[in-house]
Amino acid sequence: MERPDPEFRALVDKVSAAESWVIDGNYSVARDILWPRATTIIWLNHSFELVLYRAVTRSIYRTSTKKPLFAGNVETFRHSFLSRDSIILWVLKTFHTKRARYANLLTSNELPGINIIELSGQKQVDAFLDNVEVR
């Protein structure tokens, strides 16, 4: 179950007030908190085909193994493939709009001083990770 927005924003505010932090995800509800505090934003700008493929294969794996996810949730075939809340349907409906929105946001002049890294494809991600210095 999702946290209510005010509770989620308070948690994000607390975590991102630390000297260093990493957030995974594109939480638009907290973007106004996170982005002004960020030094680097990494955009995994994968192709539609790759994102859809991964959503389908991940859903197949999760429904067949019944592996518990966050908060003990377990994906079912019905929810993953036959529901209006299906992640696969969500990818189909939102991918292109979200990609265009992020392209505009990340190339705007509203992010002065923030290092934007766009990685388009797994080879670029792998090369980037090979050069990351872990502290």
Side-chain angles (χ1 to χ4, degrees), residues 14-21 37 39 135:
K14 182 179 178 182
V15 168
S16 64
E19 183 178 338
S20 63
W21 49 272
R37 296 177 181 176
T39 57
R135 297 181 208 185

Side-chain angles (χ1 to χ4, degrees), residues 26-27 31 35 43 98-107:
N26 51 3
Y27 303 108
R31 184 181 305 133
W35 286 21
W43 180 23
K98 286 186 173 290
R99 179 185 237 182
R101 184 178 309 130
Y102 276 95
N104 288 334
L105 283 168
L106 295 171
T107 57

Side-chain angles (χ1 to χ4, degrees), residues 54-81:
R54 287 182 174 176
V56 170
T57 56
R58 189 171 47 245
S59 293
I60 291 169
Y61 172 77
R62 288 177 175 172
T63 59
S64 64
T65 64
K66 304 290 186 212
K67 179 180 178 182
L69 306 173
F70 57 90
N73 293 332
V74 175
E75 284 191 36
T76 64
F77 181 85
R78 170 179 249 173
H79 186 265
S80 295
F81 294 95

